[in-house]
Amino acid sequence: MKDFRSVADAVAEEIASGRLRPGERLPPQREFARRHAIANSTAVRVYQELARRGLTVGQVGRGTFVTAAPGASVPAPALSEPAVDRVDLELNHPVVPEQAGLLAAGLTRLVRSDDLESVLRPVGPAGTPTAREAAADLLVRGGERPDPERVLFAGNGRQAISAAVAALTRPGARLGVEEFTYPVLKAIATRLGVTLVPLAMDEDGLIPEAVEEAHRADPLHAVYVQPVLHNPLTLTMPARRLDHLADVLLTSGIHAIEDAVWAFLRNDLPTLASRAPERTVLVDSVSKRLSPGLSLGFAVAPAALAGRVAAAVRSGAWTPMRFPLEAMVRWQADGVVATLVRAKQREAGARQEILHRRLGDFRTRSDPSSYHLWWELPAPWRSDTFVAAAARHGIAVTPAAAFSVGRPRGPHAIRLGLASPTREVLSRALATLADLARSTPDDFAGD
């Protein structure tokens, strides 16, 4: 027989991960019982438990509705007071004080009448020769500069990932991914009808032998991997692991999609694409480097795959706008990109210092160059209850379940994004979360 708490945990994780959204109505209890193969009395206890955690509210004559969201009007549990201002530790967009001024100069020149006509013309996935050269300079890592002729453009980084997945797979294909992966990739795979295959990781990141084993069991069409500052675990592959993975790709004939969106913070490190250039599509974007409001993605594809990736960009309506393309060219030529990258690298270090001051006593995993961390919560906290309790304090955090692949429930951990609030707000929010983690969740007494 299913325990009502385990069923409530599953619903709570759906709420925390966003699969059940604030305001969404839950089914009547009898229907819920049938769906979950539980007794009606168990369903009643599940609904009572969700309401006690502050995740739902019942309205007479209307039903039960999800309320677990920052700013939702629900009774606060005893361990917290309602917060007025929301602190977003979910989204993760680095911003530095000098950013607006540096970017403004390049934009001013773009909007002059003699330039505006050209920058508003349409452009395809290949961009322009000047843009490809500028992008190749921007994407230099570990002293390696990609071939400008292999650079393609998309509207943003997510679209570049979508195009790469679409080009390398087909509906029903198997795409290997790290067992914790970028949540957007999960949505992309669902939309494209692709099956995600979780691959084991260790302290050095994705385990190459796990790729081989999965491929032997049932061939993989491709592998998606984040070798540098993995989101959410912040792991970075050492050179020997990178070489080993490249060897597996080459010997097995598997293609890889290398997501390098955070790698600009460790631009001294080489790419997987430099180790296995004919097996790897490298994807990146400018939004983290420059500004969250600037949208432009890159896909550096092997010659044999460039046509397929470009076709996927076009068929998905993911072609870039020419304006950000031309802005990137100017900012790269003027040194603005390099200046902002250095500033954001320094800012990451400052935020890591705040992190260690506030959460140094807890079991966290991060990197001195990272804007996010992985926090394994202390007992008796569960990720769903901690997310809900943090929300009562006006702090939005992301549960492990949002990143987990291949298991119904993730570990009792959360990911914190450090980039979005100011340093002062971040420090206060982390102090609040530390106090919360040292307390006891309201529902623990019933476990």
Side-chain angles (χ1 to χ4, degrees):
M1 179 182 295
K2 292 183 181 179
D3 180 77
F4 76 94
R5 296 184 194 86
S6 65
V7 180
D9 286 346
V11 177
E13 288 186 5
E14 288 190 66
I15 295 171
S17 66
R19 294 191 297 276
L20 284 175
R21 298 186 176 279
E24 192 168 340
R25 182 179 178 179
L26 296 185
Q29 291 176 5
R30 288 184 180 276
E31 181 179 344
F32 182 91
R34 287 196 299 273
R35 290 184 187 179
H36 292 266
I38 57 177
N40 290 340
S41 59
T42 303
V44 171
R45 298 187 71 185
V46 170
Y47 276 47
Q48 290 172 342
E49 176 71 5
L50 292 170
R52 190 164 67 84
R53 297 184 193 182
L55 301 179
T56 61
V57 62
Q59 299 181 14
V60 177
R62 295 190 61 208
T64 300
F65 296 83
V66 175
T67 60
S73 177
V74 295
L79 54 81
S80 69
E81 295 295 332
V84 176
D85 298 320
R86 180 176 186 265
V87 180
D88 192 342
L89 302 184
E90 290 185 301
L91 296 179
N92 212 14
H93 297 300
V95 175
V96 291
E98 59 267 46
Q99 183 168 304
L102 288 169
L103 296 175
L107 291 177
T108 300
R109 293 195 300 275
L110 274 180
V111 297
R112 294 186 314 197
S113 59
D114 54 339
D115 288 335
L116 191 57
E117 182 179 355
S118 65
V119 301
L120 293 180
R121 292 173 183 166
V123 67
T128 65
T130 303
R132 292 195 297 272
E133 291 287 343
D137 290 337
L138 183 146
L139 295 171
V140 169
R141 284 245 319 276
E144 296 280 345
R145 181 178 186 264
D147 180 355
E149 294 305 311
R150 294 174 55 198
V151 177
L152 299 169
F153 300 94
N156 57 45
R158 295 179 178 188
Q159 293 174 356
I161 294 171
S162 297
V165 174
L168 297 179
T169 66
R170 60 176 183 267
R174 285 164 43 90
L175 176 64
V177 296
E178 293 137 324
E179 57 187 315
F180 294 98
T181 195
Y182 180 36
V184 170
L185 180 72
K186 297 164 68 174
I188 290 170
T190 299
R191 187 172 69 248
L192 296 177
V194 172
T195 299
L196 296 184
V197 180
L199 303 172
M201 305 174 70
D202 62 16
E203 293 302 311
D204 288 337
L206 177 63
I207 300 173
E209 289 84 357
V211 178
E212 293 178 305
E213 182 179 348
H215 189 57
R216 282 196 300 269
D218 191 356
L220 300 173
H221 286 74
V223 174
Y224 168 90
V225 61
Q226 304 172 76
V228 178
L229 298 178
H230 175 274
N231 178 23
L233 300 183
T234 79
L235 302 174
T236 293
M237 288 187 182
R240 65 182 182 281
R241 174 61 59 86
L242 209 60
D243 289 338
H244 190 177
L245 180 57
D247 288 342
V248 169
L249 298 177
L250 294 169
T251 57
S252 64
I254 302 172
H255 286 104
I257 301 166
E258 177 181 7
D259 187 341
V261 69
W262 286 111
F264 74 95
L265 297 168
R266 296 287 306 274
N267 54 15
D268 58 316
L269 300 177
T271 62
L272 176 63
S274 68
R275 297 320 209 242
E278 300 311 313
R279 309 305 306 176
T280 307
V281 178
L282 183 142
V283 295
D284 205 336
S285 75
V286 299
S287 61
K288 307 293 188 187
R289 283 179 176 85
L290 300 182
S291 171
L294 182 72
S295 182
L296 182 65
F298 309 107
V300 183
L305 296 176
R308 287 159 57 184
V309 176
V313 171
R314 285 190 292 267
S315 65
W318 299 321
T319 51
M321 301 295 290
R322 189 160 185 155
F323 191 92
L325 200 70
E326 296 296 334
M328 180 273 298
V329 170
R330 284 163 171 76
W331 287 324
Q332 178 62 29
D334 292 347
V336 170
V337 175
T339 299
L340 284 178
V341 165
R342 289 192 296 269
K344 292 185 178 186
Q345 289 170 340
R346 291 192 298 270
E347 184 65 21
R351 288 168 184 261
Q352 285 290 324
E353 290 177 6
I354 295 171
L355 163 65
H356 289 299
R357 260 197 328 269
R358 294 303 192 184
L359 300 183
D361 295 337
F362 295 95
R363 190 176 179 183
T364 63
R365 174 185 290 149
S366 193
D367 182 285
S369 303
S370 177
Y371 276 97
H372 56 274
L373 80 146
W374 183 252
W375 185 1
E376 296 181 20
L377 297 169
W381 282 102
R382 299 193 297 263
S383 57
D384 61 317
T385 51
F386 193 86
V387 168
R392 297 302 167 273
H393 287 83
I395 303 171
V397 302
T398 310
F403 303 92
S404 181
V405 180
R407 45 174 125 177
R409 298 173 57 188
H412 295 310
I414 60 172
R415 192 212 69 167
L416 300 182
L418 308 177
S420 297
T422 65
R423 291 186 192 179
E424 294 75 16
V425 171
L426 175 64
S427 182
R428 291 196 298 270
L430 294 180
T432 298
L433 294 179
D435 289 342
L436 185 62
R438 294 186 184 102
S439 69
T440 302
D442 279 356
D443 62 336
F444 180 63
D447 284 355

